[in-house]
Amino acid sequence: MKELVAAALTAAKERGQDVADVPLTAIAATAGISRSTLLRRLGGSRAALDEAVRESGTDPGGRPPVRERAIEAAALLVAERGLAGVTLDAVADRADCSLPSLHTVFEGRDGLLAAVFERHSALPDLEALAADPPEDLEGTVRALHAVFAAAFTHQPRIVPAVFADLLGRPDGPAARVMAANLPRLLAGLDRLLQPHVRAGRLRPLPTAVLVQLLLGPLLNHVLIRPVLEPLPGAGLPSTDETVEIFVGAYLRAVALPEAGAAESGGDGNAPRGGP
């Protein structure tokens, strides 16, 4: 097998390709044998050659890096088994990689779960929204609800699994993931909400309280909706309609009349953002 590995590496270098992308015909020609002879020596499949190349210390390529495969595999396992059911052994088996490679890339299970949470949580979209926010309060609140509704309902359902683990095991891996990501989450929300507080559009409450009022109803709905939907006569509105209901309720709860409206004689107690 050593000479076949050497031929594969040589052919890959000459063609400027990963080993996995080099046709068997080219590898056979470099080895000085026919393609049929190469296949016979490989047992009928190039998988043995790719594995031998990998064992020689070279990634044969042709598939995503270990980090990407592991994050995807772990996300599917979280959705299937919950956080408690995700082990590095199971991830390595699902991602077709070695256990040491997971430790090298993620520095352990918590590092892998943190990467999964960041990939599938609201953080990327929240930070993009904070970098270019809507100018008006209602638009900001609606955009925030849309970002978190998407994260809560996104498949695989990582965020609900994290919250389920957090509620069941306050000192478990979900708590550590949340603690690691909470500063970034609150920073993005602070950038979006506090300008409206300073402008007198929102009640002067701490960002954490404003966020709890914002996300509490939505999270509760997302966690319970799968249980309610099959029930006869549940009559649940769509997720988009529900988001609009929550936007209006949030604005009625925490929005203040803007100075201009108050000076013009508007009703400072009039609800905003919905019927």
Side-chain angles (χ1 to χ4, degrees):
M1 181 65 78
K2 287 184 178 179
E3 65 272 20
L4 298 182
V5 169
L9 293 174
T10 299
K13 184 177 181 180
E14 290 175 350
R15 297 169 68 95
Q17 295 178 302
D18 288 332
V19 170
D21 296 326
V22 178
L24 287 179
T25 303
I27 295 174
T30 302
I33 56 178
S34 67
R35 184 179 184 278
S36 59
T37 299
L38 174 62
L39 275 173
R40 186 169 62 252
R41 292 177 61 178
L42 293 176
S45 168
R46 71 176 299 153
L49 176 60
D50 288 344
E51 184 58 33
V53 170
R54 190 175 293 109
E55 290 177 356
S56 75
T58 299
D59 188 343
R63 56 180 179 169
V66 167
R67 178 180 179 83
E68 295 301 313
R69 302 202 315 272
I71 289 175
E72 181 63 22
L76 293 174
L77 287 169
V78 168
E80 293 169 7
R81 308 177 184 180
L83 264 68
V86 178
T87 65
L88 288 182
D89 284 328
V91 173
D93 183 64
R94 179 74 66 93
D96 190 22
C97 64
S98 68
L99 198 58
S101 67
L102 292 182
H103 282 285
T104 299
V105 173
F106 298 103
E107 299 182 354
R109 182 170 177 263
D110 280 2
L112 172 58
L113 292 177
V116 171
F117 180 78
E118 179 166 359
R119 173 72 56 83
H120 293 279
S121 74
L123 269 174
D125 289 339
L126 174 65
E127 291 179 336
L129 180 63
D132 185 23
E135 293 183 3
D136 64 302
L137 174 61
E138 185 171 338
T140 299
V141 172
R142 182 170 286 106
L144 280 170
H145 274 82
V147 164
F148 282 98
F152 290 162
T153 58
H154 171 76
Q155 294 290 344
R157 288 167 57 87
I158 301 303
V159 177
V162 169
F163 275 96
D165 190 84
L166 182 64
L167 293 172
R169 299 188 297 168
D171 59 347
R176 295 190 291 273
V177 167
M178 289 297 293
N181 287 280
L182 203 55
R184 282 178 60 191
L185 187 69
L186 288 176
L189 288 161
D190 191 78
R191 288 173 60 188
L192 286 159
L193 296 175
Q194 285 303 317
H196 294 290
V197 171
R198 292 191 292 270
R201 304 185 194 103
L202 277 179
R203 297 185 185 280
L205 299 171
T207 297
V209 176
L210 289 172
V211 171
Q212 288 172 332
L213 291 169
L214 180 91
L215 298 184
L218 180 60
L219 178 59
N220 180 65
H221 175 78
V222 170
L223 291 177
I224 297 178
R225 185 179 183 104
V227 179
L228 295 179
E229 278 184 321
L231 298 180
L236 291 175
S238 69
T239 299
D240 289 341
E241 291 170 332
T242 303
V243 164
E244 284 301 314
I245 293 170
F246 290 155
V247 169
Y250 183 76
L251 290 170
R252 287 193 294 273
V254 298
L256 295 172
E258 295 187 36
E263 291 170 3
S264 66
D267 182 1
N269 294 317
R272 302 178 58 206

